[in-house]
Short mmCIF file of all heavy atoms in Angstrom, two decimals:
data_model
loop_
_atom_site.label_atom_id
_atom_site.label_comp_id
_atom_site.label_asym_id
_atom_site.label_seq_id
_atom_site.Cartn_x
_atom_site.Cartn_y
_atom_site.Cartn_z
N CYS A 375 17.04 -7.48 -53.09
CA CYS A 375 17.28 -7.93 -51.72
C CYS A 375 16.79 -6.86 -50.71
O CYS A 375 16.15 -7.17 -49.71
CB CYS A 375 18.76 -8.24 -51.46
SG CYS A 375 19.36 -9.69 -52.40
N THR A 376 17.14 -5.58 -50.98
CA THR A 376 16.76 -4.50 -50.09
C THR A 376 15.26 -4.40 -49.93
O THR A 376 14.72 -4.26 -48.83
CB THR A 376 17.30 -3.16 -50.64
OG1 THR A 376 18.75 -3.28 -50.65
CG2 THR A 376 16.91 -2.00 -49.77
N ILE A 377 14.50 -4.48 -51.06
CA ILE A 377 13.04 -4.33 -51.05
C ILE A 377 12.41 -5.51 -50.25
O ILE A 377 11.54 -5.31 -49.43
CB ILE A 377 12.51 -4.26 -52.43
CG1 ILE A 377 12.80 -2.86 -53.06
CG2 ILE A 377 10.98 -4.48 -52.45
CD1 ILE A 377 12.43 -2.66 -54.51
N VAL A 378 12.88 -6.70 -50.47
CA VAL A 378 12.34 -7.90 -49.80
C VAL A 378 12.60 -7.81 -48.31
O VAL A 378 11.72 -8.06 -47.49
CB VAL A 378 12.94 -9.21 -50.37
CG1 VAL A 378 12.54 -10.42 -49.54
CG2 VAL A 378 12.47 -9.37 -51.81
N SER A 379 13.85 -7.47 -47.93
CA SER A 379 14.15 -7.45 -46.49
C SER A 379 13.51 -6.20 -45.82
O SER A 379 13.13 -6.30 -44.65
CB SER A 379 15.69 -7.45 -46.26
OG SER A 379 16.28 -6.27 -46.82
N PHE A 380 13.46 -5.08 -46.57
CA PHE A 380 12.81 -3.91 -46.02
C PHE A 380 11.31 -4.14 -45.79
O PHE A 380 10.73 -3.77 -44.74
CB PHE A 380 12.96 -2.72 -46.98
CG PHE A 380 13.05 -1.38 -46.25
CD1 PHE A 380 14.03 -0.45 -46.64
CD2 PHE A 380 12.23 -1.05 -45.24
CE1 PHE A 380 14.15 0.78 -45.98
CE2 PHE A 380 12.32 0.17 -44.56
CZ PHE A 380 13.25 1.09 -44.92
N ARG A 381 10.63 -4.85 -46.72
CA ARG A 381 9.26 -5.18 -46.51
C ARG A 381 9.06 -6.06 -45.24
O ARG A 381 8.16 -5.91 -44.48
CB ARG A 381 8.65 -5.90 -47.74
CG ARG A 381 7.18 -6.17 -47.55
CD ARG A 381 6.56 -6.99 -48.72
NE ARG A 381 7.02 -8.38 -48.65
CZ ARG A 381 6.38 -9.38 -49.20
NH1 ARG A 381 5.22 -9.20 -49.80
NH2 ARG A 381 6.90 -10.61 -49.15
N SER A 382 10.01 -7.02 -45.08
CA SER A 382 9.96 -7.86 -43.95
C SER A 382 10.03 -7.05 -42.61
O SER A 382 9.20 -7.20 -41.70
CB SER A 382 11.16 -8.86 -43.96
OG SER A 382 11.35 -9.44 -42.70
N ALA A 383 10.95 -6.08 -42.57
CA ALA A 383 11.11 -5.26 -41.39
C ALA A 383 9.86 -4.38 -41.19
O ALA A 383 9.41 -4.15 -40.06
CB ALA A 383 12.34 -4.33 -41.53
N ASN A 384 9.30 -3.86 -42.30
CA ASN A 384 8.10 -3.02 -42.22
C ASN A 384 6.89 -3.76 -41.62
O ASN A 384 6.20 -3.30 -40.77
CB ASN A 384 7.72 -2.50 -43.64
CG ASN A 384 8.57 -1.28 -44.05
OD1 ASN A 384 9.13 -0.62 -43.19
ND2 ASN A 384 8.57 -1.00 -45.31
N LEU A 385 6.68 -4.99 -42.14
CA LEU A 385 5.53 -5.79 -41.62
C LEU A 385 5.73 -6.18 -40.18
O LEU A 385 4.78 -6.15 -39.37
CB LEU A 385 5.39 -7.08 -42.50
CG LEU A 385 4.86 -6.77 -43.93
CD1 LEU A 385 4.92 -8.06 -44.77
CD2 LEU A 385 3.41 -6.26 -43.93
N CYS A 386 6.94 -6.54 -39.89
CA CYS A 386 7.25 -6.87 -38.47
C CYS A 386 7.02 -5.64 -37.55
O CYS A 386 6.42 -5.75 -36.45
CB CYS A 386 8.72 -7.29 -38.38
SG CYS A 386 9.14 -8.04 -36.83
N ALA A 387 7.41 -4.48 -38.00
CA ALA A 387 7.22 -3.24 -37.27
C ALA A 387 5.78 -2.91 -37.03
O ALA A 387 5.35 -2.47 -35.98
CB ALA A 387 7.92 -2.11 -37.99
N ALA A 388 4.94 -3.19 -38.07
CA ALA A 388 3.51 -2.86 -38.01
C ALA A 388 2.83 -3.72 -36.91
O ALA A 388 2.06 -3.22 -36.07
CB ALA A 388 2.84 -3.07 -39.34
N ALA A 389 3.17 -5.01 -36.89
CA ALA A 389 2.57 -5.94 -35.93
C ALA A 389 3.10 -5.57 -34.50
O ALA A 389 2.32 -5.56 -33.52
CB ALA A 389 2.88 -7.35 -36.24
N LEU A 390 4.37 -5.27 -34.41
CA LEU A 390 4.93 -4.91 -33.07
C LEU A 390 4.34 -3.62 -32.61
O LEU A 390 4.05 -3.46 -31.40
CB LEU A 390 6.48 -4.76 -33.22
CG LEU A 390 7.23 -4.33 -31.94
CD1 LEU A 390 6.90 -5.22 -30.74
CD2 LEU A 390 8.72 -4.33 -32.23
N ALA A 391 4.11 -2.62 -33.48
CA ALA A 391 3.46 -1.35 -33.12
C ALA A 391 2.04 -1.59 -32.54
O ALA A 391 1.61 -0.93 -31.59
CB ALA A 391 3.41 -0.42 -34.29
N ALA A 392 1.37 -2.58 -33.11
CA ALA A 392 0.03 -2.96 -32.61
C ALA A 392 0.13 -3.44 -31.16
O ALA A 392 -0.70 -3.10 -30.31
CB ALA A 392 -0.60 -4.02 -33.47
N ILE A 393 1.13 -4.26 -30.88
CA ILE A 393 1.32 -4.82 -29.52
C ILE A 393 1.63 -3.68 -28.54
O ILE A 393 1.09 -3.61 -27.46
CB ILE A 393 2.42 -5.91 -29.52
CG1 ILE A 393 1.96 -7.16 -30.22
CG2 ILE A 393 2.90 -6.22 -28.08
CD1 ILE A 393 3.00 -8.25 -30.40
N LEU A 394 2.53 -2.79 -28.97
CA LEU A 394 2.92 -1.67 -28.09
C LEU A 394 1.76 -0.75 -27.80
O LEU A 394 1.57 -0.30 -26.68
CB LEU A 394 4.06 -0.90 -28.73
CG LEU A 394 5.44 -1.68 -28.86
CD1 LEU A 394 6.36 -0.91 -29.79
CD2 LEU A 394 6.01 -1.95 -27.53
N THR A 395 0.92 -0.54 -28.82
CA THR A 395 -0.28 0.29 -28.62
C THR A 395 -1.25 -0.40 -27.60
O THR A 395 -1.79 0.27 -26.76
CB THR A 395 -1.01 0.51 -29.92
OG1 THR A 395 -0.09 1.19 -30.84
CG2 THR A 395 -2.25 1.40 -29.76
N ARG A 396 -1.40 -1.71 -27.72
CA ARG A 396 -2.22 -2.43 -26.78
C ARG A 396 -1.68 -2.32 -25.35
O ARG A 396 -2.44 -2.12 -24.41
CB ARG A 396 -2.36 -3.91 -27.20
CG ARG A 396 -3.34 -4.68 -26.33
CD ARG A 396 -3.73 -6.00 -26.90
NE ARG A 396 -4.64 -6.61 -25.93
CZ ARG A 396 -5.96 -6.43 -25.85
NH1 ARG A 396 -6.54 -5.62 -26.76
NH2 ARG A 396 -6.70 -7.03 -24.92
N LEU A 397 -0.40 -2.51 -25.19
CA LEU A 397 0.23 -2.36 -23.89
C LEU A 397 -0.06 -0.98 -23.27
O LEU A 397 -0.40 -0.83 -22.10
CB LEU A 397 1.78 -2.54 -24.00
CG LEU A 397 2.30 -3.94 -23.88
CD1 LEU A 397 3.83 -3.94 -24.12
CD2 LEU A 397 2.00 -4.61 -22.54
N ARG A 398 0.14 0.02 -24.09
CA ARG A 398 -0.06 1.42 -23.62
C ARG A 398 -1.53 1.65 -23.22
O ARG A 398 -1.82 2.22 -22.19
CB ARG A 398 0.33 2.42 -24.74
CG ARG A 398 0.23 3.89 -24.34
CD ARG A 398 0.60 4.82 -25.48
NE ARG A 398 -0.27 4.69 -26.63
CZ ARG A 398 -1.48 5.21 -26.70
NH1 ARG A 398 -2.00 5.90 -25.68
NH2 ARG A 398 -2.21 5.07 -27.78
N GLU A 399 -2.45 1.12 -24.00
CA GLU A 399 -3.87 1.31 -23.67
C GLU A 399 -4.25 0.48 -22.48
O GLU A 399 -5.12 0.94 -21.65
CB GLU A 399 -4.74 0.98 -24.91
CG GLU A 399 -4.54 1.99 -26.02
CD GLU A 399 -5.42 1.68 -27.22
OE1 GLU A 399 -6.05 0.62 -27.29
OE2 GLU A 399 -5.42 2.50 -28.20
N ASN A 400 -3.70 -0.72 -22.36
CA ASN A 400 -3.97 -1.53 -21.14
C ASN A 400 -3.61 -0.81 -19.88
O ASN A 400 -4.28 -0.87 -18.84
CB ASN A 400 -3.20 -2.82 -21.21
CG ASN A 400 -3.87 -3.92 -22.09
OD1 ASN A 400 -5.01 -3.73 -22.51
ND2 ASN A 400 -3.13 -4.95 -22.35
N LYS A 401 -2.48 -0.05 -19.95
CA LYS A 401 -1.97 0.68 -18.81
C LYS A 401 -2.59 2.05 -18.67
O LYS A 401 -2.26 2.78 -17.75
CB LYS A 401 -0.51 0.80 -18.88
CG LYS A 401 0.25 -0.56 -18.78
CD LYS A 401 1.75 -0.31 -18.87
CE LYS A 401 2.47 -1.67 -18.77
NZ LYS A 401 3.93 -1.51 -18.65
N LYS A 402 -3.44 2.42 -19.63
CA LYS A 402 -4.08 3.76 -19.58
C LYS A 402 -3.09 4.86 -19.51
O LYS A 402 -3.25 5.81 -18.75
CB LYS A 402 -5.13 3.84 -18.47
CG LYS A 402 -6.24 2.82 -18.62
CD LYS A 402 -7.26 2.91 -17.49
CE LYS A 402 -8.48 2.04 -17.69
NZ LYS A 402 -8.20 0.62 -17.89
N LEU A 403 -2.02 4.77 -20.33
CA LEU A 403 -0.98 5.79 -20.39
C LEU A 403 -1.08 6.59 -21.63
O LEU A 403 -1.46 6.09 -22.69
CB LEU A 403 0.42 5.12 -20.35
CG LEU A 403 0.72 4.29 -19.05
CD1 LEU A 403 2.01 3.52 -19.25
CD2 LEU A 403 0.79 5.18 -17.87
N THR A 404 -0.72 7.88 -21.54
CA THR A 404 -0.65 8.64 -22.77
C THR A 404 0.71 8.41 -23.45
O THR A 404 0.84 8.50 -24.68
CB THR A 404 -0.74 10.20 -22.44
OG1 THR A 404 0.19 10.47 -21.40
CG2 THR A 404 -2.15 10.51 -21.98
N ARG A 405 1.72 8.01 -22.64
CA ARG A 405 3.04 7.65 -23.24
C ARG A 405 3.56 6.41 -22.52
O ARG A 405 3.59 6.33 -21.30
CB ARG A 405 3.99 8.84 -23.05
CG ARG A 405 5.24 8.71 -23.81
CD ARG A 405 6.03 9.99 -24.00
NE ARG A 405 6.98 9.87 -25.05
CZ ARG A 405 6.73 10.13 -26.35
NH1 ARG A 405 5.50 10.50 -26.72
NH2 ARG A 405 7.66 9.94 -27.27
N LEU A 406 4.01 5.44 -23.33
CA LEU A 406 4.57 4.23 -22.79
C LEU A 406 6.02 4.19 -22.90
O LEU A 406 6.62 4.57 -23.92
CB LEU A 406 3.95 3.05 -23.58
CG LEU A 406 4.49 1.65 -23.27
CD1 LEU A 406 4.01 1.15 -21.91
CD2 LEU A 406 4.15 0.65 -24.37
N ARG A 407 6.67 3.72 -21.81
CA ARG A 407 8.10 3.46 -21.84
C ARG A 407 8.32 1.97 -21.58
O ARG A 407 7.90 1.46 -20.56
CB ARG A 407 8.80 4.28 -20.76
CG ARG A 407 10.31 4.20 -20.84
CD ARG A 407 10.98 5.07 -19.81
NE ARG A 407 12.39 4.77 -19.68
CZ ARG A 407 13.16 5.08 -18.67
NH1 ARG A 407 12.60 5.72 -17.61
NH2 ARG A 407 14.44 4.85 -18.65
N THR A 408 8.93 1.29 -22.56
CA THR A 408 9.09 -0.14 -22.40
C THR A 408 10.26 -0.69 -23.13
O THR A 408 10.93 0.10 -23.88
CB THR A 408 7.78 -0.88 -22.93
OG1 THR A 408 7.78 -2.22 -22.53
CG2 THR A 408 7.65 -0.77 -24.44
N THR A 409 10.58 -1.93 -22.94
CA THR A 409 11.70 -2.59 -23.64
C THR A 409 11.21 -3.80 -24.36
O THR A 409 10.39 -4.57 -23.89
CB THR A 409 12.76 -3.00 -22.60
OG1 THR A 409 13.28 -1.78 -21.96
CG2 THR A 409 13.96 -3.68 -23.27
N VAL A 410 11.72 -3.96 -25.58
CA VAL A 410 11.42 -5.15 -26.41
C VAL A 410 12.68 -6.00 -26.52
O VAL A 410 13.73 -5.54 -26.96
CB VAL A 410 10.96 -4.76 -27.80
CG1 VAL A 410 10.65 -6.01 -28.66
CG2 VAL A 410 9.70 -3.89 -27.70
N GLY A 411 12.57 -7.27 -26.06
CA GLY A 411 13.69 -8.21 -26.22
C GLY A 411 13.67 -8.77 -27.61
O GLY A 411 12.64 -9.22 -28.10
#
Side-chain angles (χ1 to χ4, degrees):
C375 293
T376 298
I377 287 175
V378 170
S379 62
F380 213 136
R381 184 187 68 157
S382 166
N384 278 341
L385 289 172
C386 190
L390 177 54
I393 289 174
L394 294 170
T395 301
R396 184 167 180 86
L397 273 175
R398 183 181 62 77
E399 290 179 356
N400 280 349
K401 294 182 180 186
K402 297 179 173 57
L403 298 172
T404 50
R405 191 164 196 87
L406 173 72
R407 186 178 169 199
T408 193
T409 297
V410 177

